[in-house]
Amino acid sequence: MEAVIKDIAEMQRTAERLRNQGRRIGVVPTMGCLHQGHLKLLEVARKHADVVITSIFVNPTQFGPTEDFTRYPRDLGRDTQLASAAGTDYVFAPETESMYPPGYHTYIEVERLTEMLEGKSRPGHFRGVTTVVGKIFSITKPAVAVFGQKDAQQVAVVRQMIRDMNFDIELVVCPIVREPDGLAMSSRNVYLSKEQRSQAPVLYMSIARAEDLIRSGERSCEKVIDRMKTLIATNSSGVVDYISIADSTTLEELNECRGSLLISLAVRFGTTRLIDNATITI
Ligand code: AMP
C-alpha cells in the first residue's frame, strides 16, 4: 500500500497527480470496522480501476441523535491492514473536525427516494450520506465508486445524486456478502449478544420465504409481508421496524408483486438495528 492519508488537501493533491498520470481512480467509501463485505467491494474496485482509495470515516451527520455514532466500532490500524491486504493503494481517513470544521453549513439533499424505507425510520440519515459521499468524491476525484447492495436504498440515492449533480463517476454495485448462515455481514453485527446473533438470520430467512411465495405465484404484497412478520415473530425476539415490497427503481410500495421488486426490511434486536434486502424480477 502507498499511504494512509488523513489530510484533505494532501488527498486532493495525490488524487490530482494520479489523474494527471492517466490513472483511473476507484473509491470505496466505508465507515471502517472492515469485514468480508467491504473486502469484496475492494476486490471489485481493483477490477474497475488501476488505483484504489478506501475511505474510512464514521460520518456523524448520517447518525440520528439517539443512534450509535459514539459506540460505532473504530480500529484504524486493523482496517488499514485489511484494506492493504485486499489491494487498497491509499486509505483516506480524515478527522471529523477537518470534514466538518466550525462554520460548516453545506448539505446535499436528494428528494423523493430518501423519503421512504430507511429515510422514514432515520430522518436526516440520507442527507448525511449524500453530503459525505459528495465530499469524498470531490476529495478523492474517482472515475468509479463502488457501493454494496446491502444498502440498497443508499445505492438508489447515490445514483440519483450522481445523475442530478453531474458527477462524472461510474457507479458499481456489489452483491450482498453473507455469513454462512445467511446473515448479511455488517459492522453492527458485533453488537449482537450470542442469543441475538443466533436469531439474526431470520431477516434472510424471511426474505427467502418471500421469494419462495412470490415465485410460487403469490401476488399480494400484504400477504407476503404478513408471512414474513410471522416467521420473524415465531423464530426470534426481533422487533420489526419495517418490511417493504417496493418498485426497485422508485422505491414506492406496491400492492401487487409485479415487475422488478425490492424486498427490504429492518429489524431491531435490543438496541441493534439490522437491515437486509433482495431484488427479484417477476
Ligand atoms: P459501511 O461501512 O457500513 O458504511 O459500508 C460501506 C460500504 O460497504 C457500503 O457501500 C455498504 O453497502 C457496503 N457493505 C457493507 N456490508 C456489506 C455486505 N455484507 N455486502 C456487500 N456490501 C456491504
Side-chain angles (χ1 to χ4, degrees), residues 128-139:
V129 169
T130 44
T131 298
V132 82
V133 170
K135 284 169 70 70
I136 290 168
F137 285 173
S138 69
I139 296 166

Side-chain angles (χ1 to χ4, degrees), residues 29-31 35 37-38 41 147-148 150-151 154 175-177 185:
T30 82
M31 297 207 298
H35 51 65
H38 297 113
L41 267 58
F147 288 84
K150 161 89 194 313
D151 299 277
Q154 173 169 280
I176 302 178
V177 178
M185 290 196 180

Side-chain angles (χ1 to χ4, degrees), residues 29 77 114 133-134 173 179 200 225 231 275:
T114 55
V133 170
V173 182
E179 301 285 355
I225 290 171
L231 186 145
I275 57 172

Side-chain angles (χ1 to χ4, degrees), residues 177-194:
V177 178
R178 300 180 177 281
E179 301 285 355
D181 62 6
L183 175 64
M185 290 196 180
S186 163
S187 307
R188 292 189 164 100
N189 292 349
V190 300
Y191 300 148
L192 298 170
S193 71
K194 215 169 161 194

Side-chain angles (χ1 to χ4, degrees), residues 135-191:
K135 284 169 70 70
I136 290 168
F137 285 173
S138 69
I139 296 166
T140 61
K141 308 175 194 263
V144 50
V146 184
F147 288 84
Q149 184 62 24
K150 161 89 194 313
D151 299 277
Q153 188 176 13
Q154 173 169 280
V155 168
V157 169
V158 169
R159 180 174 285 121
Q160 177 94 47
M161 173 183 81
I162 287 176
R163 191 168 62 207
D164 291 351
M165 299 304 290
N166 310 100
F167 283 114
D168 189 10
I169 297 170
E170 182 194 348
L171 176 65
V172 172
V173 182
C174 217
I176 302 178
V177 178
R178 300 180 177 281
E179 301 285 355
D181 62 6
L183 175 64
M185 290 196 180
S186 163
S187 307
R188 292 189 164 100
N189 292 349
V190 300
Y191 300 148

